[in-house]
């Protein structure tokens, strides 16, 4: 039986600078535990914290790894040391529960590594890149996998341009809207008028950025051929609730911007 899974390999930019390596390593260890909490009742997940500044994740569902990666990118603490994610998805023979991620050798891991290495070499680095399996004998999306890869990466590149153009406050409002979902809740948290929040959302293209994320997730879900209901919505709900329960840890009030 084939099982649909997704993979990401995450590195951190400039992790060897500013004598911040140990702090980043501790932060990634905390993030590893957070991912385990987010997914324990929704998505079967295996996580490895490697080489100080790298996380590797394998989880059930085509859209799960990208969903986790996007939320991580929005709650990330270190603006000068941003994460970047090489991603892949496809089918495996094993059950995710049976995988030892420390020793698991599979083409999907190689694809994610290749995508991560591509980003590592970029001067103006994107946050996300997919590399997908090539044509295979199995039924499903692999017939057009390279076309999907091109279209997804093009969407991610365009979205990155919009993210890069955000000011700090626009980025914060975008992240808070992902978690809170309502402008009035953001205005209350930031002690700003709803008109101000609306203006930041409009100028920062919050809806465009988030809708692109949702569209990619929906496409990945639609490619997965099975009769089970998709767990992506439940996964997002769980992540949002976890972050909401610790909102000041992720977005400290003393770190709010004018």
């Amino acid at each position: 039986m084939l099982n649909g899974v997704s993979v990401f390999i995450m590195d951190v930019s400039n992790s060897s600078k500013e004598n911040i390596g140990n702090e980043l390593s501790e932060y990634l260890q905390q993030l590893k535990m957070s991912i385990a909490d987010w997914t324990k009742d929704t998505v079967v997940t295996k996580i490895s914290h490697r080489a100080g500044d790298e996380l590797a994740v394998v989880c059930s569902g085509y859209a799960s790894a990208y969903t986790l990666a996007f939320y991580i990118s929005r709650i990330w603490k270190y603006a000068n040391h941003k994460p970047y994610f090489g991603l892949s998805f496809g089918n495996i023979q094993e059950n995710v529960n049976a995988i030892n991620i420390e020793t698991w050798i599979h083409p999907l891991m190689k694809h994610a590594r290749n995508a991560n290495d591509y980003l590592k070499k970029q001067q103006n680095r994107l946050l996300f890149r997919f590399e997908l399996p090539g044509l295979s004998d199995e039924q499903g999306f692999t017939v057009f996998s390279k076309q999907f890869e091109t279209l997804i990466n093009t969407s991610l590149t365009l979205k990155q341009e919009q993210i890069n153009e955000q000011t700090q406050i626009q980025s914060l409002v975008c992240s808070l809207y992902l978690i809170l979902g309502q402008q009035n809740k953001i205005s209350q948290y930031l002690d700003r008028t709803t008109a101000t929040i609306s203006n930041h959302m409009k100028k920062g293209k919050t809806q465009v950025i988030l809708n692109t994320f949702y569209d990619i997730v929906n496409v990945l879900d639609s490619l997965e051929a099975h009769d089970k209901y998709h767990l992506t919505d439940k996964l997002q709900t769980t992540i949002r609730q976890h972050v909401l329960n610790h909102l000041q840890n992720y977005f400290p009030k003393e770190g709010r911007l004018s």
Side-chain angles (χ1 to χ4, degrees):
M1 178 180 175
L2 294 175
N3 296 300
V5 302
S6 51
V7 177
F8 76 61
I9 293 177
M10 186 200 90
D11 266 329
V12 181
S13 298
N14 304 317
S15 59
S16 61
K17 297 181 179 179
E18 301 179 18
N19 298 317
I20 200 170
N22 289 337
E23 186 177 341
L24 281 173
S25 184
E26 291 178 7
Y27 182 62
L28 291 183
Q29 191 62 28
Q30 294 170 6
L31 185 58
K32 176 183 176 180
M33 292 186 289
S34 293
I35 294 171
D37 285 341
W38 298 343
T39 59
K40 66 181 179 181
D41 295 321
T42 54
V43 173
V44 182
T45 305
K46 294 299 178 76
I47 316 161
S48 175
H49 178 198
R50 302 170 171 176
D53 65 346
E54 179 180 293
L55 285 182
V57 168
V58 179
C59 44
S60 56
Y62 284 177
S64 301
Y66 175 58
T67 300
L68 289 169
F70 185 76
Y71 276 87
I72 290 169
S73 75
R74 298 311 309 189
I75 65 172
W76 186 258
K77 180 178 178 180
Y78 298 94
N80 294 326
H81 307 275
K82 292 183 178 180
Y84 55 97
F85 302 83
L87 298 115
S88 192
F89 63 88
N91 297 318
I92 63 173
Q93 296 287 345
E94 308 99 309
N95 188 298
V96 179
N97 274 319
I99 290 174
N100 180 347
I101 192 172
E102 302 295 346
T103 59
W104 191 55
I105 299 174
H106 192 277
L108 289 179
M109 291 293 280
K110 182 178 180 181
H111 291 311
R113 172 65 66 192
N114 289 343
N116 182 275
D117 287 343
Y118 176 92
L119 295 175
K120 192 187 298 286
K121 296 173 184 176
Q122 285 190 316
Q123 184 173 0
N124 298 314
R125 189 172 290 148
L126 302 176
L127 291 174
F128 312 101
R129 182 174 177 84
F130 280 83
E131 182 176 294
L132 303 186
L135 182 64
S136 70
D137 294 333
E138 66 186 62
Q139 299 294 315
F141 80 92
T142 59
V143 176
F144 300 107
S145 63
K146 290 305 174 182
Q147 289 90 335
F148 280 121
E149 179 184 300
T150 298
L151 291 174
I152 292 171
N153 285 330
T154 298
S155 294
L156 290 171
T157 299
L158 294 173
K159 184 177 74 169
Q160 187 71 55
E161 290 293 324
Q162 294 161 339
I163 289 173
N164 291 346
E165 290 172 357
Q166 287 183 321
T167 64
Q168 286 182 293
I169 185 63
Q170 290 167 1
S171 177
L172 174 61
V173 168
C174 181
S175 297
L176 286 171
Y177 191 73
L178 175 68
I179 302 302
L180 299 174
Q182 295 180 21
Q183 293 184 32
N184 65 325
K185 290 183 178 180
I186 300 172
S187 68
Q188 291 170 10
Y189 186 72
L190 296 180
D191 194 22
R192 299 292 185 271
T193 66
T194 53
T196 297
I197 298 303
S198 179
N199 187 53
H200 286 315
M201 288 181 62
K202 181 178 180 180
K203 289 185 176 180
K205 297 183 173 62
T206 289
Q207 292 288 5
V208 176
I209 291 168
L210 296 186
N211 285 343
T212 301
F213 162 66
Y214 297 134
D215 286 346
I216 292 174
V217 166
N218 288 336
V219 167
L220 299 188
D221 273 340
S222 72
L223 295 177
E224 193 166 0
H226 58 47
D227 296 328
K228 299 178 182 177
Y229 64 91
H230 296 131
L231 297 178
T232 311
D233 288 345
K234 186 176 180 182
L235 175 60
Q236 291 195 60
T237 299
T238 302
I239 297 172
R240 288 186 184 116
Q241 191 59 54
H242 177 94
V243 175
L244 185 60
N245 289 344
H246 306 86
L247 194 61
Q248 292 190 36
N249 292 333
Y250 290 101
F251 306 105
K253 286 186 176 294
E254 62 271 19
R256 291 182 301 172
L257 302 167
S258 301

